[in-house]
């Protein structure tokens, strides 16, 4: 029960960040790209397809890939390892 609740909270927060990111692309006072990145990283914790997509896109840029891996590890430490 706790795992399902945690998963639901992470998915809701990730979707909220993605929605804020989409709104931020059109509003000048909101950082859309930042919210999209955070939302994608949160959602990738429970979506192997999204995680693979992010990995493929960032491998071309080693510095970005390094920071993505660090962010994923940080998120995993906070929410635990998804099962």
């Amino acid at each position: 029960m706790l795992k399902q609740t945690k998963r639901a909270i992470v998915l809701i927060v990730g979707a909220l960040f993605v929605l804020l990111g989409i709104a931020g692309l059109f509003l000048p006072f909101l950082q859309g790209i930042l919210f999209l990145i955070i939302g994608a990283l949160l959602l990738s914790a429970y979506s192997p397809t999204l995680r693979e997509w992010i990995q493929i896109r960032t491998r071309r840029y080693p510095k970005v890939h390094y920071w993505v891996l660090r962010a994923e590890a940080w998120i995993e430490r906070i929410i635990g390892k998804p099962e």
Side-chain angles (χ1 to χ4, degrees):
M1 182 71 174
L2 180 63
K3 291 178 187 176
Q4 292 174 343
T5 305
K6 184 170 38 171
R7 178 184 174 129
I9 290 171
V10 170
L11 292 176
I12 289 170
V13 170
L16 180 66
F17 271 106
V18 169
L19 290 174
L20 284 172
I22 291 170
L25 293 175
F26 300 104
L27 300 173
F29 57 87
L30 197 61
Q31 295 295 322
I33 297 297
L34 180 62
F35 283 108
L36 284 173
I37 291 170
I38 293 170
L41 287 173
L42 283 172
L43 292 174
S44 73
Y46 289 103
S47 172
T49 306
L50 183 58
R51 180 176 286 212
E52 183 180 333
W53 185 85
I54 290 171
Q55 295 293 326
I56 290 170
R57 299 299 180 268
T58 60
R59 279 196 189 115
R60 290 184 236 167
Y61 310 102
K63 289 182 182 180
V64 174
H65 188 68
Y66 168 76
W67 286 105
V68 166
L69 292 177
R70 284 194 58 183
E72 286 177 346
W74 184 74
I75 289 171
E76 190 174 296
R77 275 196 318 264
I78 291 174
I79 64 173
K81 188 160 178 90
E83 297 173 12

